[in-house]
Amino acid sequence: MENDSTIWTEKYRPKKFEEVVGQDDIIKNVQNLTKSFNIPHMMFAGPAGTGKSTLALIVVKNLFGVHWKENHLELNASDERGIDVVRQKVKDFARTKSLGNVPFKVIFLDEADALTKEAQQALRRTMENFTSTCRFIMSCNYSSKIIDPIQSRCVVFRFKLLEKKDIEKRIRLIIEKEKLQIDDKAIEALYEASEGDCRRVINLLQASSSISTRITPELVNTLISGAEPAEIKIVLEYALSGDFLKAKDKLLEVMLKESISGTDIIKSIQKEIWNLQIDDELKVRLTEKTGEAEFRIVEGSDEFIQLEALLASFVLAGRGINR
Ligand SMILES: Nc1ncnc2c1ncn2[C@@H]1O[C@H](COP(=O)(O)OP(=O)(O)OP(=O)(O)O)[C@@H](O)[C@H]1O
Ligand SMILES: [Mg+2]
């Protein structure tokens, strides 16, 4: 292994269009736009770790070559203290002409969905004011959180979770460069754990490699933080049988014992629903409930309250079953 202190997600962040895996149509379109040196405002929407920030950086480097640093401004909406800071920074940056041959500069606004609606309204006016000198690339997880007037000013590209073959390609490249060995089953385990999030895969791979140069599925599994499926199954069965208190206590035990986050518990529950002996319609309904709880937790609602509410809906669903 080379330099142990580097973070692999950065070390192996693609630097050229050709190195990005998956998202084929998006890459083709964005590459063509970049070649023409005339990009529109763009919005990269989609799940974490699928290449949004990576692609934005590739665009900037391709457009500006050696002048890429001077000609682009990166802002993270969730770091900046309010829209006034964003606007001031944009103004200061947009005031001076771009260096080199490209007639505009690029502003990359990461996590744009962290901005409030009011902040987005202000941003929209800023975009209008500087259209002649600046192009915006925005990234967000949920485009539905972006107000229509901004969306309609952008070409929206929807990133998807990466497929297994794409994740595998990236894993194999890293394995080769780092002189590691890996079992096919371990690739499977890494993909399963990542659910299409490439950052997660690479982090898991790096963590595994710090323990052994031979990556096995067992090794990967010991590193995956997640509840034991068997334990989650017990929780759900208590709930479906109507014993809310036992279900709740067991869930708390699992969460505390393994210090698992609410969203990871939700993922385990979602998987386990499909292993329960209940009919498919009920599975669909419970999956929907689980999705709602996940959404609320992600939005900042208390995870214990949401999980308890979820267990309550399992109890109610259980009443409808002849057991
Ligand atoms: N499509 C991809 N091809 C190759 N590597 C990728 C891809 N997507 C992500 N990666 C790897 O994962 C890391 C994180 O990706 P990136 O920063 O582009 O994610 P993102 O989509 O911007 O996620 P977030 O929504 O969390 O900001 C990259 O440094 C790179 O190593
Ligand atoms: Mg990003």
Side-chain angles (χ1 to χ4, degrees):
M1 258 177 285
E2 334 169 7
N3 193 351
D4 271 336
S5 65
T6 49
I7 295 184
W8 287 4
T9 51
E10 287 310 323
K11 186 174 176 185
Y12 293 105
R13 187 191 283 282
K15 295 185 180 57
K16 299 182 190 144
F17 289 109
E18 297 75 23
E19 289 167 14
V20 180
V21 297
Q23 325 292 12
D24 299 353
D25 291 344
I26 296 180
I27 303 301
K28 214 187 304 158
N29 286 330
V30 172
Q31 187 169 17
N32 283 333
L33 288 167
T34 308
K35 260 192 213 148
S36 74
F37 289 101
N38 186 16
I39 61 166
H41 297 309
M42 299 192 282
M43 181 168 339
F44 295 168
T50 53
K52 301 185 296 298
S53 300
T54 302
L55 185 59
L57 208 58
I58 295 175
V59 169
V60 166
K61 286 184 177 166
N62 268 274
L63 276 174
F64 302 118
V66 291
H67 295 302
W68 72 274
K69 279 205 175 119
E70 301 90 312
N71 286 328
H72 106 282
L73 173 70
E74 185 174 341
L75 296 169
N76 189 309
S78 62
D79 290 349
E80 304 297 339
R81 254 177 274 294
I83 188 65
D84 290 340
V85 180
V86 173
R87 276 159 78 185
Q88 195 55 47
K89 284 192 176 172
V90 169
K91 253 194 208 159
D92 290 345
F93 174 74
R95 210 168 31 205
T96 58
K97 273 187 58 182
S98 59
L99 274 175
N101 303 325
V102 185
F104 54 82
K105 296 178 170 184
V106 171
I107 295 174
F108 177 49
L109 185 64
D110 212 356
E111 297 188 48
D113 44 1
L115 293 174
T116 62
K117 294 265 184 296
E118 292 71 39
Q120 292 185 31
Q121 290 293 356
L123 175 68
R124 161 204 178 178
R125 285 192 292 278
T126 309
M127 281 173 85
E128 281 164 0
N129 291 341
F130 294 105
T131 295
S132 55
T133 51
C134 279
R135 297 291 180 278
F136 282 79
I137 304 179
M138 283 183 263
S139 92
C140 62
N141 292 127
Y142 302 102
S143 67
S144 58
K145 289 196 192 159
I146 307 290
I147 58 172
D148 285 341
I150 290 189
Q151 288 202 44
S152 64
R153 281 178 172 72
C154 295
V155 178
V156 181
F157 295 95
R158 296 186 191 284
F159 285 60
K160 297 194 186 66
L161 286 169
L162 293 170
E163 292 172 31
K164 193 175 152 207
K165 64 170 171 39
D166 301 323
I167 294 271
E168 174 163 359
K169 202 166 149 191
R170 215 59 200 155
I171 294 175
R172 293 215 184 270
L173 174 107
I174 296 175
I175 291 287
E176 192 192 314
K177 295 245 154 117
E178 297 292 328
K179 303 188 173 59
L180 302 168
Q181 285 178 296
I182 193 162
D183 303 7
D184 287 351
K185 285 240 164 63
I187 290 183
E188 185 86 27
L190 283 166
Y191 170 69
E192 287 275 309
S194 77
E195 286 159 11
D197 172 345
C198 196
R199 182 189 292 115
R200 193 139 188 239
V201 166
I202 298 176
N203 282 337
L204 266 174
L205 191 57
Q206 184 167 15
S208 308
S209 76
S210 67
I211 300 172
S212 163
T213 55
R214 185 182 176 93
I215 316 291
T216 63
E218 292 75 25
L219 178 56
V220 172
N221 282 322
T222 57
L223 289 166
I224 298 168
S225 72
E228 282 288 322
E231 300 219 77
I232 289 294
K233 190 157 179 236
I234 295 171
V235 173
L236 299 187
E237 282 177 347
Y238 275 142
L240 284 172
S241 74
D243 199 333
F244 181 69
L245 285 180
K246 267 197 178 158
K248 198 180 98 176
D249 286 349
K250 180 75 190 171
L251 181 68
L252 202 59
E253 180 198 312
V254 176
M255 284 182 78
L256 296 181
K257 194 175 72 188
E258 313 197 23
S259 66
I260 305 169
S261 73
T263 45
D264 281 340
I265 287 279
I266 293 271
K267 281 188 195 137
S268 305
I269 292 178
Q270 203 144 29
K271 273 190 200 142
E272 244 0 85
I273 289 173
W274 297 93
N275 296 327
L276 292 169
Q277 304 287 331
I278 52 177
D279 60 63
D280 284 351
E281 203 191 302
L282 192 54
K283 287 179 187 174
V284 172
R285 247 169 55 208
L286 291 173
T287 303
E288 193 189 354
K289 289 276 180 211
T290 312
E292 284 168 15
E294 197 253 3
F295 181 73
R296 293 201 191 100
I297 292 175
V298 171
E299 294 278 291
S301 174
D302 184 289
E303 56 185 31
F304 284 103
I305 293 178
Q306 288 308 322
L307 285 167
E308 280 188 26
L310 180 60
L311 287 185
S313 49
F314 275 76
V315 171
L316 292 175
R319 293 206 179 136
I321 308 173
N322 250 339
R323 293 172 73 90

